[in-house]
Amino acid sequence: MRTQIVAGNWKMNKTFEEADDLINDIVDFVKNHNLENTAVIICPPSVYLELATDFANETNLHVGAQNLSNYESGAYTGEISAPMLESMEVGYCIIGHSERRKYFNETNEMIAEKVNMALKYNISPIFCCGELLPEREKGNHFDIVKKQLEESVFHLNKTDFGNIIIAYEPVWAIGTGVTATSDQAQEMHYYIRSLIKEKYDEETGESTTILYGGSCNSKNAKELFANPDVDGGLIGGASLKSDEFIKIIQSIDD
Ligand code: PEP
């Protein structure tokens, strides 16, 4: 059985005290519940990563960053490198999020460099892909996602690809309150899995965790996660309130 994952992307939210409270609530939950086949990952802003890894240390809560530099070290003011994250025991990193593509001009090529950098330092990329609304309206969504995979992760060998988590996030669903239907999510996840099988092999396709992201909340999570090719979610807005995030975790682990 594939690992099911619920990952929270906090984006640029929370003061230190608020972050402390939220992490505490999630740690309390994971400590007191036996989550059999579900991994919970939180991705707070980088200034709170140490707080998160300190708390997560004695639990099965995992910590991820929201971004890393495509450079290893040096004169890149404001950047955070993969070796820094590794040295803080951060095991995951969101890479290729649509907000970084849109506001920070990240290209598929740059995202491939970030993926390589993460893997070099034992960080599992949570690789985001997904189409814009006009691309879906034109019926190009499969081609767009295929190109993103081909240009950013399909250069990897099978062993490295085994450390990748895919997050399908249709851009029109992110932060909009418009969720992909269960059928739309399943159809794309099935397609992504077929591409992985074609590129690598059946076993790699079957074992890759593919998350759905885009206005996923405690009301729609159960239906989305019930699809055979949807292995959990990357949760933005709904990961900022502990009760809501915990309900989402429970909906996968039922
Ligand atoms: C995200 O930003 O990864 C995301 C899925 O956001 P939201 O859940 O708020 O749509």
Side-chain angles (χ1 to χ4, degrees), residues 28-64:
D28 267 0
F29 174 78
V30 297
K31 261 191 183 163
N32 294 313
H33 291 80
N34 183 18
L35 301 171
E36 294 220 326
N37 189 39
T38 305
V40 179
I41 307 173
I42 52 169
C43 303
S46 54
V47 287
Y48 307 139
L49 283 170
E50 192 181 355
L51 181 70
T53 50
D54 277 355
F55 275 118
N57 244 339
E58 311 122 47
T59 70
N60 55 355
L61 178 67
H62 304 273
V63 178

Side-chain angles (χ1 to χ4, degrees), residues 1-4 33-39 60 249 252-254:
M1 194 181 181
R2 285 187 289 274
T3 311
Q4 310 285 297
H33 291 80
N34 183 18
L35 301 171
E36 294 220 326
N37 189 39
T38 305
N60 55 355
I249 300 168
I252 204 171
D253 204 54
D254 268 358

Side-chain angles (χ1 to χ4, degrees), residues 54-81:
D54 277 355
F55 275 118
N57 244 339
E58 311 122 47
T59 70
N60 55 355
L61 178 67
H62 304 273
V63 178
Q66 296 175 16
N67 181 35
L68 52 70
S69 173
N70 46 334
Y71 300 109
E72 205 149 2
S73 67
Y76 301 102
T77 302
E79 288 291 89
I80 291 169
S81 72

Side-chain angles (χ1 to χ4, degrees), residues 27-246:
V27 164
D28 267 0
F29 174 78
V30 297
K31 261 191 183 163
N32 294 313
H33 291 80
N34 183 18
L35 301 171
E36 294 220 326
N37 189 39
T38 305
V40 179
I41 307 173
I42 52 169
C43 303
S46 54
V47 287
Y48 307 139
L49 283 170
E50 192 181 355
L51 181 70
T53 50
D54 277 355
F55 275 118
N57 244 339
E58 311 122 47
T59 70
N60 55 355
L61 178 67
H62 304 273
V63 178
Q66 296 175 16
N67 181 35
L68 52 70
S69 173
N70 46 334
Y71 300 109
E72 205 149 2
S73 67
Y76 301 102
T77 302
E79 288 291 89
I80 291 169
S81 72
M84 290 174 192
L85 295 176
E86 187 195 35
S87 72
M88 290 173 65
E89 293 173 23
V90 173
Y92 298 85
C93 185
I94 299 171
I95 298 181
H97 192 280
S98 62
E99 287 152 14
R100 295 217 54 95
R101 292 176 190 262
K102 179 176 176 187
Y103 300 120
F104 302 96
N105 304 318
E106 290 195 7
T107 60
N108 288 347
E109 193 188 354
M110 194 188 298
I111 291 163
E113 289 171 7
K114 291 187 177 204
V115 164
N116 294 343
M117 198 56 84
L119 291 169
K120 183 172 175 189
Y121 289 94
N122 303 308
I123 295 163
S124 292
I126 302 173
F127 169 74
C128 301
C129 55
E131 78 287 354
L132 303 167
L133 185 58
E135 291 165 343
R136 178 163 279 266
E137 284 170 345
K138 279 193 212 132
N140 290 342
H141 42 298
F142 293 115
D143 290 346
I144 292 294
V145 169
K146 185 176 184 204
K147 189 170 156 66
Q148 290 170 337
L149 289 162
E150 281 175 350
E151 295 185 1
S152 299
V153 287
F154 277 178
H155 62 282
L156 298 172
N157 64 34
K158 199 167 101 170
T159 311
D160 280 344
F161 189 85
N163 292 314
I164 298 273
I165 297 158
I166 308 277
Y168 168 58
E169 300 207 302
V171 181
W172 45 272
I174 296 181
T176 57
V178 181
T179 319
T181 64
S182 181
D183 287 350
Q184 285 171 326
Q186 169 56 24
E187 182 183 43
M188 183 59 88
H189 283 229
Y190 176 84
Y191 175 70
I192 292 171
R193 200 176 302 289
S194 332
L195 292 175
I196 299 168
K197 288 181 185 175
E198 217 173 275
K199 169 73 194 170
Y200 297 96
D201 54 28
E202 180 73 22
E203 196 198 332
T204 308
E206 278 305 318
S207 59
T208 303
T209 296
I210 308 178
L211 309 179
Y212 168 78
S215 297
C216 184
N217 57 41
S218 63
K219 301 215 166 55
N220 57 34
K222 202 174 174 97
E223 191 187 341
L224 286 160
F225 298 167
N227 284 299
D229 289 296
V230 178
D231 307 313
L234 178 55
I235 318 296
S239 72
L240 296 174
K241 287 194 186 134
S242 55
D243 53 344
E244 180 71 5
F245 189 57
I246 287 167

